[in-house]
Amino acid sequence: MTALDDRTVTPTVTTGPIQGSRKVYVDGPDGIRVPVRRVDLTNGEHFDLYDTSGPYTDDTATVDVRAGLPKLRQAWIDAREPIDGAATQLAWAKAGIVTPEMRFIALREGVDTELVRDEVARGRAVIPSNRRHPESEPMIIGKKFLVKINANIGNSAVTSSIEEEVEKMVWATRWGADNVMDLSTGKNIHETREWILRNSPVPIGTVPIYQALEKVKGDPAKLSWEVYRDTVIEQCEQGVDYMTVHAGVLLRYVPLTAKRVTGIVSRGGSIMAAWCLAHHRESFLYTNFEELCEILRTYDVTFSLGDGLRPGSIADANDEPQLAELRTLGELTHLARSRDVQVMIEGPGHVPMHKIAENVRLEEEWCGEAPFYTLGPLATDIAPAYDHITSAIGASIIAQHGTAMLCYVTPKEHLGLPNRDDVKTGVITYKIAAHSADLAKEHPHAQSRDDALSQARFEFRWEDQFNLSLDPDTARSFHDETLPAEPAKTAHFCSMCGPKFCSMKITQDVREYAEKHGLTSVEAIEAGMDEKAHEFVEQGERIYLPIAGD
């Protein structure tokens, strides 16, 4: 883990905080310091936001990506010993050991440390934290914690460069991505991943079969266990924190997809299906799964058991191949846990709203409540270019039912490789879905941000409303399109209602009137029944009486 070779990539430098906030650190036990993004409110208070941006929003940060990030966890990693050969958060949790990562997470999530340890020990939560990625800040994926979101990046054979992928990672975490997956399938896969890992403050995931396929010149039939195993070890050594492994795509399941509308839509799933058919043999990922466990437990790499047979259309949702694979993933989950390897389960895909809850129920039943990590699901197929919206609908519902992490979808889904702006749209859309689910699950502290923003909105503290939002820059720019002057930032109206029809201004007038005249019954004022109210109206004083339902 030396400094990166600056001859191959132009350095990417990002400076300065997100407008309206600043990076601060909350001190915890044993010298643990957790970063938060602090919004200083105009009423003299402040509000701290969960932050994943690493050093990229420090007040005075100038980040040279050639050097990489500080190795935050290195001392923690060096100070502990494996348990029966397993250097994993699961092994330590089962042994009753609270790791520094668990303490960091408890402080970050605002929960009890023992809850973190217990959920990891039960396998209901995972902490992706390869010992070769000490730059990452600890985070947890589990249904009792904040819903997390993953951003996919990666080049293709058609487009993109190392610089662009590093920039996407930097900006994805700046906007709030909790994890990032490098799905590169083009040139320089190893080098691209190295630059991403050394500069990522969040866990990084991959699909090793992509690089393995590159090593055999793109011919699935030429893949072998040996090529795949060596690729996995290479990526573990680099620091990959979690890996999608399509070990549930079995030979007998492939014919089940023949009647589907969209067949097999997973790249990894289709690669393994092609190999099985070419060799008329069971998947080498399935037959060598125990050896995979031995490799991953050495580095503490988390399995993300891939849904290679996920439905790619509404017509294929919850069909036989999807559910057959899910049963097999449950079998593999219990095998991995017996080796003290952390596991999460990947899920669909394309599912109409009335079939979403069943996916969570079956996953929890068959996979021992392992964290569910879903792509959407898309609730309809009819909106190319708007699939960040069709999928966010399904994502909100499935997260409410217990999904622990959501894989974002960008407007380019099904259409092309996303650029930086598409990544931003995908991340913000999925932050909305995740937070909506946190509210529905009544997660501790989830509503406090909503309450703070609503209070700022009602009191016409425009700057606070902007800065507490998920996307302060866009919120501010939309307001300023019609009212750009600085005095408009304190005005008691916006351009939609104007000064005479603002409902909140009218409500404030009613409250001030009631206080002025000693009217203590809000209900009476709203109903217009209070005797004093009628008396003042008769004397010619005006009072606004809101109509029920307005």
Side-chain angles (χ1 to χ4, degrees):
M1 291 182 287
T2 58
L4 297 168
D5 186 350
D6 64 4
R7 294 172 298 175
T8 59
V9 177
T10 302
T12 299
V13 177
T14 303
T15 60
I18 296 173
Q19 187 174 354
S21 64
R22 56 193 172 95
K23 178 70 68 66
V24 301
Y25 293 83
V26 177
D27 293 326
D30 303 321
I32 289 175
R33 303 178 71 229
V34 174
V36 298
R37 189 155 56 86
R38 177 161 293 175
V39 178
D40 291 309
L41 304 176
T42 56
N43 63 1
E45 301 174 359
H46 70 261
F47 194 92
D48 291 342
L49 304 174
Y50 192 108
D51 183 71
T52 63
S53 63
Y56 302 112
T57 55
D58 281 347
D59 290 331
T60 58
T62 300
V63 182
D64 184 344
V65 300
R66 294 170 297 186
L69 299 184
K71 296 174 175 56
L72 168 69
R73 298 190 301 116
Q74 193 64 60
W76 305 347
I77 294 167
D78 294 342
R80 60 194 176 210
E81 296 292 331
I83 297 177
D84 295 329
T88 68
Q89 296 292 322
L90 177 56
W92 292 311
K94 287 164 67 175
I97 297 172
V98 175
T99 64
E101 286 88 348
M102 296 174 196
R103 292 190 179 93
F104 186 104
I105 288 164
L107 186 59
R108 196 177 207 184
E109 296 258 346
V111 299
D112 186 72
T113 303
E114 184 56 27
L115 174 66
V116 177
R117 188 206 62 78
D118 185 62
E119 288 297 295
V120 172
R122 291 170 178 263
R124 290 195 302 216
V126 297
I127 302 173
S129 55
N130 188 339
R131 61 183 177 85
R132 296 286 191 181
H133 187 195
E135 298 92 343
S136 68
E137 298 169 355
M139 59 84 68
I140 195 165
I141 303 167
K143 66 180 182 179
K144 290 197 174 182
F145 305 97
L146 293 169
V147 176
K148 305 304 189 300
I149 69 163
N150 174 79
N152 288 339
I153 62 173
N155 66 17
S156 74
V158 177
T159 184
S160 194
S161 64
I162 294 176
E163 294 97 328
E164 288 174 284
E165 297 313 313
V166 173
E167 183 183 42
K168 287 178 191 176
M169 180 277 295
V170 168
W171 284 94
T173 57
R174 184 185 180 95
W175 290 313
D178 299 286
N179 288 359
V180 171
M181 288 200 79
D182 174 22
L183 304 183
S184 293
T185 58
K187 298 179 180 179
N188 305 313
I189 291 178
H190 181 95
E191 292 79 5
T192 300
R193 187 171 57 245
E194 182 70 16
W195 279 78
I196 290 171
L197 279 161
R198 300 287 72 83
N199 288 283
S200 176
V202 302
I204 296 296
T206 62
V207 186
I209 199 74
Y210 295 168
Q211 187 180 11
L213 187 65
E214 183 196 40
K215 292 179 178 179
V216 296
K217 310 300 181 184
D219 185 353
K222 293 182 179 179
L223 283 167
S224 67
W225 163 245
E226 290 72 24
V227 171
Y228 184 86
R229 177 197 61 205
D230 292 347
T231 302
V232 167
I233 293 173
E234 172 189 339
Q235 295 190 8
C236 287
E237 283 287 326
Q238 275 190 291
V240 172
D241 299 286
Y242 60 104
M243 295 183 181
T244 295
V245 178
H246 297 94
V249 180
L250 303 187
L251 177 61
R252 63 184 180 274
Y253 297 160
V254 178
L256 300 178
T257 66
K259 295 182 179 180
R260 280 182 157 185
V261 171
T262 47
I264 299 175
V265 298
S266 160
R267 287 188 296 195
S270 64
I271 292 167
M272 289 314 305
W275 187 91
C276 289
L277 293 176
H279 295 275
H280 302 287
R281 290 166 53 196
E282 195 56 272
S283 162
F284 58 76
L285 298 179
Y286 182 79
T287 57
N288 292 281
F289 192 77
E290 290 189 51
E291 187 173 347
L292 263 179
C293 290
E294 293 303 312
I295 296 170
L296 268 56
R297 76 199 298 261
T298 302
Y299 296 89
D300 198 5
V301 174
T302 299
F303 272 119
S304 186
L305 293 180
D307 54 340
L309 302 181
R310 67 177 178 266
S313 59
I314 292 298
D316 297 337
N318 293 20
D319 66 358
E320 187 178 0
Q322 176 196 343
L323 300 183
E325 181 188 30
L326 183 60
R327 284 186 181 275
T328 299
L329 297 186
E331 169 196 331
L332 297 174
T333 295
H334 296 297
L335 179 58
R337 284 177 177 171
S338 72
R339 304 296 195 275
D340 289 332
V341 182
Q342 300 188 94
V343 182
M344 57 185 172
I345 305 295
E346 296 187 12
H350 295 238
V351 183
M353 290 191 293
H354 63 289
K355 293 185 178 181
I356 287 175
E358 182 72 356
N359 281 264
V360 179
R361 186 186 70 80
L362 293 175
E363 188 275 341
E364 292 190 343
E365 178 183 339
W366 295 343
C367 302
E369 295 186 275
F372 207 17
Y373 164 32
T374 62
L375 178 70
L378 283 71
T380 178
D381 297 339
I382 66 168
Y386 297 92
D387 278 334
H388 58 302
I389 299 173
T390 65
S391 64
I393 293 168
S396 300
I397 297 171
I398 205 165
Q400 178 186 0
H401 284 287
T403 284
M405 185 161 76
L406 304 169
C407 184
Y408 86 162
V409 172
T410 76
K412 290 280 180 62
E413 184 76 7
H414 304 116
L415 302 174
L417 190 71
N419 59 28
R420 195 184 85 177
D421 289 341
D422 299 318
V423 170
K424 176 181 179 179
T425 299
V427 169
I428 297 298
T429 302
Y430 268 68
K431 293 294 286 185
I432 295 169
H435 183 73
S436 298
D438 288 332
L439 288 170
K441 295 193 304 181
E442 297 183 300
H443 185 282
H445 321 301
Q447 190 176 326
S448 58
R449 184 173 183 177
D450 294 77
D451 293 344
L453 194 148
S454 296
Q455 191 65 39
R457 177 177 291 150
F458 186 73
E459 295 175 0
F460 298 99
R461 291 185 277 116
W462 290 100
E463 288 293 345
D464 293 346
Q465 183 182 166
F466 302 150
N467 296 335
L468 287 166
S469 68
L470 285 173
D471 185 0
D473 294 339
T474 301
R476 185 176 287 103
S477 68
F478 280 9
H479 174 272
D480 291 356
E481 282 181 11
T482 48
L483 292 173
E486 196 58 32
K489 300 296 194 305
T490 56
H492 284 210
F493 61 89
C494 70
S495 60
M496 173 175 278
C497 295
K500 293 184 178 180
F501 291 91
C502 177
S503 59
M504 289 187 289
K505 176 63 169 66
I506 293 171
T507 301
Q508 288 183 356
D509 288 345
V510 169
R511 290 182 178 180
E512 290 173 3
Y513 179 91
E515 182 178 359
K516 174 183 176 182
H517 297 293
L519 302 176
T520 58
S521 173
V522 175
E523 292 81 8
I525 292 294
E526 290 180 345
M529 296 299 292
D530 190 283
E531 292 182 4
K532 289 186 178 180
H534 285 296
E535 177 183 334
F536 291 125
V537 171
E538 290 171 1
Q539 294 174 0
E541 296 191 43
R542 185 178 182 189
I543 181 172
Y544 293 99
L545 299 177
I547 300 172
D550 278 4

